[in-house]
């Protein structure tokens, strides 16, 4: 290590905060690659008697540095809180699991009894969960009360691994007479989707001691929401439920409302941007009216709630003396509805709790309401039809399917499975349909897509990428199909690459257009597909700066897919 680097490190360490059993290196931007880099950190750890909390946030720790820091932690049996968020900045995903394994093994060896483990904002993906799986199952976590894994890109696979580890921890700790009593669980922005959420719901139902659950922006639809609702009903001490920016629809909202009726300690409900719609909002209002006397905050913003339903919600809070905030912004009340809402609350002397209504969408016309209802019915019918097909094939609910089972089901050629063609997949894409197209799916889709038409190529790419999952068979099928389609397009002399990227950005909602275009509901799939695509030899490298510029810009849709965004930007910068 150069002398100037040592001086810089010493200056950073001089800012280290010590007190109350806590040693903090938070936000010092330390680059700890080797054992030598970590010498001063190790010294401080070793010399700290009674270490109860270690803060490593805002630094970057490599595999070798993690090993020697771990060695120092092996003697710190009193350690209770590990604040280890954002400590792998700039690291390859492959570096993170071994670093976590070293640190976890040290805590086990030390005989530590953790109360809090925070690994948020570490983009380790599903493999990273394997890095602390053994720790979660060990006696070091039998006493765990707070587990924070926000924005880690765990995906469905990581969610399932995490759920299994929590159940194992509860089983082992129960055998010791002191069951795991987890109180706070945080896992927002992880693309857990229905399968990951359902797996975790099972773990939550077994644990039964949760007080706060924060799982915003996870792509969870009503099957996953319903599973969580059933688990929450068992956790009678729940105070905070934050499921912001998932997709309840009426089914999920009604299931959650039923659970809320049995929860007496609830203080915060955050279902903002969850598409509960009017019927769901009325169900939630009924639950609020029946009880929830400790409620302090109710967020139903941006949920496509219409005037009458919003007024029902307002009427439900009449006797909620503890209420501090009611958020109904971004719904469909109209000017008159906003005034009526304020009048109702003024009648209760509660006007002060109402948040801003500045983003109200205005009252919808009757034909728009009918169209919305028909659209929701079609979505539910399609989903139920696919689930029924899966049941007939003996595979159970679609949510419990694994990619391996899907492949096995192809080999058995079930009579009840209707054939799938390219047109059917592109009209109603799903991972199962893509796999059922067989090994020639990539060739078939490329052959049947008119690559002289930029709009058709963009549409096909978005449909293919929409079914992306981290599981190998689906991911491979998406990549191979994308390669076949885009290689054909980009190698065509008549294909306009600039027009393609422009139309793609418009459909992604990253570039404005004078046309009224329905943007894709989630950018996760297309971002992960682009991450693969830009690395291929057929991709024009001249398009990379354009993608970089638009993916870097602040955008709400991109914020909800921060892991995929990070992966793509990292790849683009390396081109």
């Amino acid at each position: 290590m150069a002398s100037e680097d040592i001086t810089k490190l010493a200056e950073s360490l001089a800012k280290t905060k010590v007190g109350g059993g806590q040693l903090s290196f938070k936000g010092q931007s330390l680059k700890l690659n080797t054992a030598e880099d970590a010498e001063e950190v190790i010294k401080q750890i070793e010399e700290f008697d009674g270490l109860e909390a270690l803060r490593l946030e805002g630094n970057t720790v490599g595999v070798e540095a993690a090993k020697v820091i771990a060695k120092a932690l092996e003697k710190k049996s009193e350690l209770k809180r590990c604040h280890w968020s954002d400590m792998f900045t700039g690291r390859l995903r492959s570096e993170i699991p071994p670093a976590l394994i070293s640190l976890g093994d040290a805590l086990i060896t030390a005989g530590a009894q953790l109360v809090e483990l925070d690994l948020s904002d570490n983009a380790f993906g599903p493999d990273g969960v394997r890095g602390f799986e053994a720790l979660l199952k060990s006696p070091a976590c039998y006493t765990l009360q707070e587990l924070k894994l926000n924005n880690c890109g765990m995906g469905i696979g990581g969610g399932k691994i995490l759920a299994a580890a929590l159940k194992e921890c509860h089983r082992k700790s129960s055998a010791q007479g002191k069951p795991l009593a987890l109180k706070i669980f945080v896992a927002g922005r992880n693309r857990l989707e229905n399968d990951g959420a359902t797996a975790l719901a099972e773990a939550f139902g077994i644990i039964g001691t949760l007080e706060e659950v924060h799982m915003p922006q996870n792509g969870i639809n009503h099957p996953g929401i319903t599973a969580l609702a059933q688990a929450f009903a068992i956790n009678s001490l729940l105070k905070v439920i934050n499921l912001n920016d998932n997709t309840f629809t009426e089914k999920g909202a009604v299931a959650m409302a039923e659970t809320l009726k049995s929860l007496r300690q609830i203080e915060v409900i955050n279902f903002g941007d969850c598409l509960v719609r009017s019927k769901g909002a009325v169900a939630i209002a009924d639950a609020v009216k029946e009880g929830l006397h400790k409620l302090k905050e109710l967020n139903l913003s941006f949920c496509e709630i219409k005037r009458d339903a919003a007024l029902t919600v307002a009427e439900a809070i009449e006797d909620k003396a503890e209420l501090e905030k009611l958020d109904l912004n971004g719904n469909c009340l109209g000017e008159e509805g906003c005034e009526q809402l304020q009048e109702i609350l003024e009648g209760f002397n509660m006007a002060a709790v109402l948040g801003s209504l500045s983003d109200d969408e205005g009252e919808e016309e009757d034909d728009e309401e009918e169209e919305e209802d028909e659209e929701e019915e079609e979505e539910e019918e399609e989903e139920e039809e696919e689930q029924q097909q899966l049941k007939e094939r003996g595979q159970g609910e679609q949510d419990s399917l694994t990619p391996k089972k899907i492949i096995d089901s192809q080999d058995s050629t079930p009579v009840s499975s209707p054939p799938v063609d390219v047109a059917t997949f592109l009209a109603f894409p799903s991972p199962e349909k893509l796999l059922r197209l067989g090994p020639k799916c990539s060739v078939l889709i490329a052959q049947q897509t008119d690559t002289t038409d930029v709009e058709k190529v963009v549409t096909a790419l978005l449909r293919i990428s929409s079914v992306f999952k981290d599981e190998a068979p689906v991911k491979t099928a998406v990549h191979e199909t994308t390669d076949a389609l885009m290689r054909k397009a980009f190698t065509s002399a008549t294909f306009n690459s600039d027009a393609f990227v422009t139309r793609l950005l418009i459909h992604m909602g990253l570039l404005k257009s004078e046309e009224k275009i329905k943007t894709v509901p989630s950018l996760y799939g297309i971002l992960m597909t682009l991450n693969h695509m830009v690395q291929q030899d057929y991709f024009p490298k001249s398009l990379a700066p354009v993608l970089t510029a638009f993916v870097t810009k602040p955008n709400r849709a991109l914020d909800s897919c921060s892991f995929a965004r990070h992966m793509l930007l990292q790849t683009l910068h390396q081109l």
Side-chain angles (χ1 to χ4, degrees), residues 513-528:
S513 170
E514 293 181 0
E515 306 170 62
K516 190 173 182 180
I517 289 178
K518 188 176 181 180
T519 58
V520 292
S522 170
L523 295 181
Y524 181 77
I526 184 60
L527 290 173
M528 294 300 285

Side-chain angles (χ1 to χ4, degrees), residues 191-411:
R191 293 304 307 177
L192 295 169
E193 300 183 19
N194 288 333
D195 287 0
T198 300
L200 285 167
E202 187 177 337
F204 295 163
I206 292 170
I207 294 169
T209 56
L210 288 166
E211 295 180 10
E212 294 186 23
V213 175
H214 302 263
M215 295 173 65
Q217 296 182 356
N218 270 297
I220 308 170
N221 300 324
H222 75 78
I225 296 298
T226 300
L228 287 170
Q230 293 167 350
F232 291 166
I234 300 169
N235 289 264
S236 60
L237 299 177
L238 266 173
K239 296 178 181 178
V240 178
I241 302 177
N242 177 6
L243 294 175
N244 189 285
D245 201 5
N246 288 292
T247 308
F248 282 42
T249 65
E250 181 189 341
K251 286 186 177 180
V254 169
M256 193 61 70
E258 282 301 308
T259 286
L260 289 175
K261 291 177 182 178
S262 65
L263 299 176
R264 301 300 177 190
Q265 306 301 319
I266 287 289
E267 296 178 3
V268 177
I269 297 171
N270 186 344
F271 297 160
D273 209 4
C274 283
L275 203 66
V276 304
R277 291 187 171 139
S278 295
K279 292 178 181 176
V282 170
I284 292 169
D286 288 343
V288 171
K289 192 170 186 177
E290 286 186 23
L292 307 189
H293 295 293
K294 295 184 179 181
L295 188 63
K296 293 181 179 178
E297 181 178 336
L298 175 59
N299 184 346
L300 293 175
S301 60
F302 299 93
C303 281
E304 294 191 7
I305 301 169
K306 299 178 184 63
R307 179 179 60 178
D308 290 348
L311 298 181
T312 302
V313 172
E315 289 167 353
I317 67 166
E318 180 178 2
D319 63 344
K320 306 301 174 238
E322 301 294 320
L323 193 70
E324 298 171 0
K325 184 178 181 182
L326 171 64
D327 193 344
L328 288 169
N329 198 18
N331 287 301
C332 311
L333 281 66
E335 187 176 344
E336 185 180 341
C338 290
E339 291 174 359
Q340 289 177 321
L341 181 65
Q342 289 167 333
E343 287 172 6
I344 288 173
L345 294 173
E346 284 171 3
F348 304 153
N349 198 27
M350 295 180 71
V353 306
L354 182 64
S356 170
L357 297 173
S358 60
D359 293 319
D360 186 74
E361 295 287 341
E363 197 163 8
E364 289 189 358
E365 300 294 332
D366 290 342
D367 57 344
E368 289 180 336
E369 294 180 25
E370 290 173 10
E371 185 180 326
E372 176 193 286
D373 292 339
E374 287 173 7
E375 185 179 318
E376 186 171 354
E377 285 174 12
E378 285 175 9
E379 290 172 359
E380 291 176 354
E381 284 173 9
E382 182 188 337
E383 185 177 307
E384 287 169 5
E385 183 181 334
E386 288 193 5
Q387 289 186 350
Q388 183 60 36
Q389 289 174 8
L390 293 170
K391 286 179 182 178
E392 290 171 1
R393 288 160 51 194
Q395 297 296 330
E397 295 293 330
Q398 184 177 11
D399 289 343
S400 64
L401 270 176
T402 62
K404 185 177 186 304
K405 288 179 180 176
I406 295 172
I407 292 174
D408 291 344
S409 72
Q410 287 182 336
D411 297 337

Side-chain angles (χ1 to χ4, degrees), residues 44-253:
Q44 298 236 17
I45 292 173
E46 289 177 339
E47 293 177 354
F48 196 110
D49 292 328
L51 180 63
E52 295 183 7
L54 177 61
R55 308 196 75 105
L56 291 173
E57 311 104 305
N59 299 291
T60 179
V61 181
V63 176
E64 292 305 313
K67 285 181 180 178
V68 291
I69 291 172
K71 195 70 178 175
L73 291 175
E74 287 181 357
K75 298 176 183 178
K76 301 299 176 181
S77 61
E78 295 178 29
L79 188 62
K80 292 180 173 61
R81 298 184 183 273
C82 297
H83 302 279
W84 295 349
S85 63
D86 187 24
M87 68 175 217
F88 296 111
T89 304
R91 299 290 169 186
L92 297 173
R93 276 178 64 178
S94 59
E95 293 182 84
I96 302 175
L100 288 173
I101 288 170
S102 296
L103 293 168
D105 287 348
L107 298 178
I108 296 169
T109 300
Q113 294 186 313
L114 295 185
V115 172
E116 179 179 1
L117 176 61
D118 186 356
L119 292 170
S120 298
D121 300 316
N122 290 310
F124 48 57
D127 294 339
V129 186
R130 294 285 188 198
F132 60 93
E133 180 185 15
L135 173 63
L136 279 181
K137 293 178 179 179
S138 77
C141 284
Y142 290 177
T143 51
L144 195 64
Q145 294 180 16
E146 301 180 30
L147 179 58
K148 300 174 182 177
L149 300 166
N150 201 55
N151 192 29
C152 293
M154 289 190 290
I156 295 171
K160 289 181 176 180
I161 296 167
L162 175 61
L166 288 172
K167 288 192 288 185
E168 182 70 2
C169 180
H170 187 272
R171 185 187 68 78
K172 288 182 174 180
S173 58
S174 296
Q176 298 292 321
K178 292 183 178 179
L180 171 67
L182 193 65
K183 293 181 179 179
I184 298 174
F185 180 83
V186 181
R189 295 184 178 184
N190 272 291
R191 293 304 307 177
L192 295 169
E193 300 183 19
N194 288 333
D195 287 0
T198 300
L200 285 167
E202 187 177 337
F204 295 163
I206 292 170
I207 294 169
T209 56
L210 288 166
E211 295 180 10
E212 294 186 23
V213 175
H214 302 263
M215 295 173 65
Q217 296 182 356
N218 270 297
I220 308 170
N221 300 324
H222 75 78
I225 296 298
T226 300
L228 287 170
Q230 293 167 350
F232 291 166
I234 300 169
N235 289 264
S236 60
L237 299 177
L238 266 173
K239 296 178 181 178
V240 178
I241 302 177
N242 177 6
L243 294 175
N244 189 285
D245 201 5
N246 288 292
T247 308
F248 282 42
T249 65
E250 181 189 341
K251 286 186 177 180

Side-chain angles (χ1 to χ4, degrees), residues 418-482:
V420 174
D421 56 21
V422 171
T424 302
F425 166 73
L426 290 176
F428 303 103
S430 71
E432 191 250 356
K433 284 178 187 158
L434 181 61
L435 292 174
R436 277 169 54 200
L437 280 171
K440 293 184 179 180
C441 65
S442 58
V443 177
L444 292 171
I445 291 176
Q447 285 176 344
Q448 296 184 39
T449 302
D450 180 6
T451 51
T452 63
D453 188 328
V454 166
E455 190 67 23
K456 288 181 179 177
V457 174
V458 169
T459 300
L461 176 63
L462 290 171
R463 295 293 172 87
I464 294 163
S465 64
S466 71
V467 306
F468 179 90
K469 287 182 178 289
D470 288 315
E471 284 87 345
V474 177
K475 180 161 67 172
T476 300
V478 169
H479 286 172
E480 290 177 352
T481 308
T482 298

